[in-house]
Amino acid sequence: VLGLPRSHVVAGAGGTRARFEGGSIYRSTGTGAHVLFGPVLTYYQDHGGPSGGLGVPTSDVEGAAGSMSASFQGGTVSCDSSGDCSRS
């Protein structure tokens, strides 16, 4: 899913991040490493990433029936099959 690396591991707010062709891995000592991709990753980046209100990821992206979601310290991002996302 992720493909080849597109960056080195870099330090940022709350931990580290590595970018790949198909997504990113975010890691913090408190939550571990989690894979983000697709519209969930885009929403997360558009809303400040780890330094925004969502904080660092606490789960990987998970999907079912065309939708996907991931949990963060500050909530959950859910995206439908058309790529429309919301935060709860």
Side-chain angles (χ1 to χ4, degrees), residues 7 16 21-22 48 50 69 75 88:
S7 75
T16 58
E21 291 174 325
S69 65
S88 58

Side-chain angles (χ1 to χ4, degrees), residues 5-84:
R6 291 294 181 211
S7 75
H8 294 285
V9 174
V10 294
T16 58
R17 172 189 51 106
R19 290 179 22 205
F20 295 82
E21 291 174 325
S24 293
I25 297 175
Y26 288 84
R27 183 189 177 282
S28 78
T29 53
T31 63
H34 297 287
V35 176
L36 300 180
F37 58 89
V40 171
L41 175 59
T42 301
Y43 183 96
Y44 182 58
Q45 292 170 331
D46 289 349
H47 290 84
S51 58
L54 286 165
V56 296
T58 59
S59 78
D60 295 337
V61 169
E62 298 174 354
S67 63
M68 58 178 57
S69 65
S71 298
F72 300 84
Q73 290 172 317
T76 299
V77 173
S78 300
C79 303
D80 63 23
S81 59
S82 68
D84 291 328

